[in-house]
Amino acid sequence: MFKYIALFAFVAVAQASTNVQTCRVFSGALPTTTTIEGCRDPPCLLPQGRDAVIHMTFNAPRNINSMRTLATAFIMNIPVPYSLGKNEVTCNFITNTQCPVNSGQQIQYTLRMFIESTFPVGISTTIEFRIVDQRNSAVVCVRVPIRITAGRELGYVPQVGKIAEIDENQIDENNY
């Protein structure tokens, strides 16, 4: 019985992962898993006025004191850095431990990237998200195609791999 439960849990986690690519411009290994909420197969649809939520699990390649997350969009093959503001400080958003981390230590990290309402609806691009350490050396890097959508276009999309309970009396149509 335990084998079946373990197999089900493994399949559920595997299905929740987003199919990301190895970075082409920046260096860094792929994380063990990457999940962009609401997206299994890119291009990931990212609605204006909301956070894109990206979960990564990876093993520290060396002892690391601090980390930063950097995002670069490629618009017509031109790299355009995108500021993550306070969300750039990777260590503040690690969910299972804290910095400094030891070589080989598993790290679970969640990035929230706000999709500005000024981003043109329908624009498709590719973004590389990379984490670097205190010496700007690569830790991990993922590449994912995205498309910006209107905030209302998708309606409510539950998180991938989670069961969503919705009380229809509490839905505010202005937020979706």
Side-chain angles (χ1 to χ4, degrees), residues 57-131:
T57 300
F58 58 93
N59 293 324
R62 60 193 157 277
N63 292 341
I64 298 172
N65 292 323
S66 64
M67 293 179 274
R68 293 182 307 133
T69 302
L70 306 169
T72 303
F74 294 88
I75 301 172
M76 297 177 10
N77 291 323
I78 299 170
V80 179
Y82 181 75
S83 173
L84 298 171
K86 65 180 171 102
N87 294 344
E88 180 180 293
V89 184
T90 309
C91 292
N92 291 346
F93 303 98
I94 293 174
T95 60
N96 67 323
T97 189
Q98 59 187 10
C99 290
V101 295
N102 296 319
S103 179
Q105 185 174 357
Q106 186 181 71
I107 299 167
Q108 296 172 355
Y109 163 66
T110 297
L111 168 65
R112 292 182 179 278
M113 182 180 82
F114 187 71
I115 306 302
E116 302 287 343
S117 59
T118 56
F119 291 175
V121 171
I123 191 168
S124 293
T125 189
T126 299
I127 299 179
E128 288 190 5
F129 296 100
R130 67 193 184 282
I131 298 175

Side-chain angles (χ1 to χ4, degrees), residues 4-19:
Y4 293 115
I5 293 171
L7 178 61
F8 176 77
F10 175 78
V11 170
V13 169
Q15 289 180 342
S17 295
T18 303
N19 295 317

